[in-house]
Amino acid sequence: MPTTVSAYAATAPDQPLELTTIERRDVGPLDVRIDIKFAGICHSDIHTARGEWGGVQYPIVVGHEIAGVVAEIGSDVTKFSVGDRVGVGCMVNSCGECAQCQKGLEQYCLKGNIGTYAGTDVDGTPTQGGYSQQIVVTEKFVLNIPDGLELDVAAPLLCAGITTYSPLHHWGAGPGKKVAVVGMGGLGHMAVKLAHALGADVTVLSQSLKKQEDGLRLGADRYFATSDPETFTELASSFDLIINTVSAEIDLNAYLGLLAVDGTMVNVGAPPTPLPVQVFSLIPSRRSFAGSAIGSIGETQEMLDFCAEHGIGAEIEVISADKVNEAWERVLASDVRYRFVIDTSTLA
């Protein structure tokens, strides 16, 4: 029988989240039921719930940075046992058959992976996310959280961590590489920590210097204010890789001018409006402008293991569930250092 659990849901794009109940499906042979302990708040949650990335079916429960403990397993589950510490990220299934899924790149499933929320589950029902007490997920899309990571600081790794680790890994951030991180927020602070741990030379590019002390503490070698025009002169043609984490309009061409020959700028922030790119920002130095989604399940597990090995967790502010609307407004005002995490025990 389906299980009824408490959750915070958006009922309309212009309304605050409300405490409600939702149903989680019965545990099938390959399913894992998870008692959610912590759920990170991602800017994507706000974009989605407010209809900024397209229409959604209301009510919707968002949240795709989920850390918890296995409460029940299906009869054919082999990877997990009751009591295991686990996580769920941005997807809960994929077709498993297309060329990308066969290569272990489920995040780029050609039929579209099934999102942890705002998707359609295998049983035809809308997927609902982590601002809730429990979730049921097929075991292939459940991740092991190593003992070296506390669940609260691990939760944001399931989106913010992998969203920045994947491009750093793919484009070879490491010793001898100069990496710039644009934005010092939820994604940006993880990019700084991870790029530093990978051995790269790390520079933060932020609007102001107000978070400079944090940036240097978290692993940046340098920190520049992009509100100062001299920054773009001083750093011209400097970087092998730029990770742009901001979900707002910026002058892409100015930032592309900071790339060295054969450098790449990767967008992981997703602003709701188009951003113009001049081809002559790319052609003279054979620069590339790219995008990157989350990572595969395999790469996400690799990231979690890497973070445990290097003592990397998110910088968090834990809140009770009844503070979620206030937290959303603070996210929009950039008033968080650096990730809100909901203590889901407060949903009881």
Side-chain angles (χ1 to χ4, degrees), residues 16 20 47 50 58 112 121 203 221 272:
T20 185
H47 283 307
R50 296 188 172 177
Y58 297 98
D121 215 336
T203 298
D221 298 283

Side-chain angles (χ1 to χ4, degrees), residues 26-84:
D26 194 14
V27 174
L30 291 172
D31 284 337
V32 177
R33 182 186 303 280
I34 300 164
D35 285 335
I36 299 173
K37 301 300 183 182
F38 296 98
I41 293 178
C42 177
H43 206 145
S44 301
D45 302 342
I46 303 172
H47 283 307
T48 301
R50 296 188 172 177
E52 294 169 355
W53 285 348
V56 295
Q57 182 177 338
Y58 297 98
I60 181 173
V61 177
V62 294
H64 55 206
E65 297 181 337
I66 298 168
V69 175
V70 175
E72 182 183 354
I73 60 172
S75 57
D76 295 338
V77 169
T78 59
K79 292 170 57 181
F80 300 100
S81 302
V82 171
D84 285 353

Side-chain angles (χ1 to χ4, degrees), residues 1 3 10 29 53 62 115 124 138 146 149 179 198 203 228 288 327:
M1 293 289 292
T3 301
W53 285 348
V62 294
T138 186
L149 287 172
V179 175
L198 287 163
T203 298
D228 181 358
S288 299

Side-chain angles (χ1 to χ4, degrees), residues 117-154:
Y117 59 77
T120 301
D121 215 336
V122 290
D123 61 0
T125 60
T127 56
Q128 304 284 13
Y131 294 14
S132 58
Q133 291 177 304
Q134 290 188 341
I135 192 168
V136 178
V137 181
T138 186
E139 75 166 328
K140 184 179 177 183
F141 286 79
V142 178
L143 295 136
N144 171 60
I145 296 180
D147 289 338
L149 287 172
E150 295 298 327
L151 291 180
D152 54 358
V153 300

Side-chain angles (χ1 to χ4, degrees), residues 178-230:
K178 291 188 174 182
V179 175
V181 177
V182 182
M184 187 63 186
L187 289 172
H189 92 283
M190 287 307 312
V192 170
K193 286 190 171 193
L194 291 164
H196 173 72
L198 287 163
D201 181 281
V202 185
T203 298
V204 174
L205 303 173
S206 186
Q207 285 183 309
S208 73
L209 298 178
K210 67 180 182 179
K211 298 179 182 177
Q212 182 176 27
E213 185 177 334
D214 284 357
L216 297 176
R217 174 175 60 86
L218 298 180
D221 298 283
R222 281 166 297 283
Y223 200 110
F224 288 84
T226 56
S227 55
D228 181 358
E230 288 301 312

Side-chain angles (χ1 to χ4, degrees), residues 91 93-96 98-114 141 162-163 166-167 170-171 266-268 290-297 299:
M91 54 184 173
N93 220 320
S94 69
C95 79
C98 72
Q100 299 307 320
C101 286
Q102 291 295 307
K103 288 191 290 187
L105 295 172
E106 308 93 348
Q107 74 273 37
Y108 299 121
C109 175
L110 296 177
K111 296 182 180 179
N113 66 67
I114 299 176
F141 286 79
I162 188 57
T163 297
S166 188
H170 180 78
W171 274 278
V266 184
N267 252 54
V268 294
S292 177
I294 53 172
S296 66
I297 294 299
E299 189 176 44

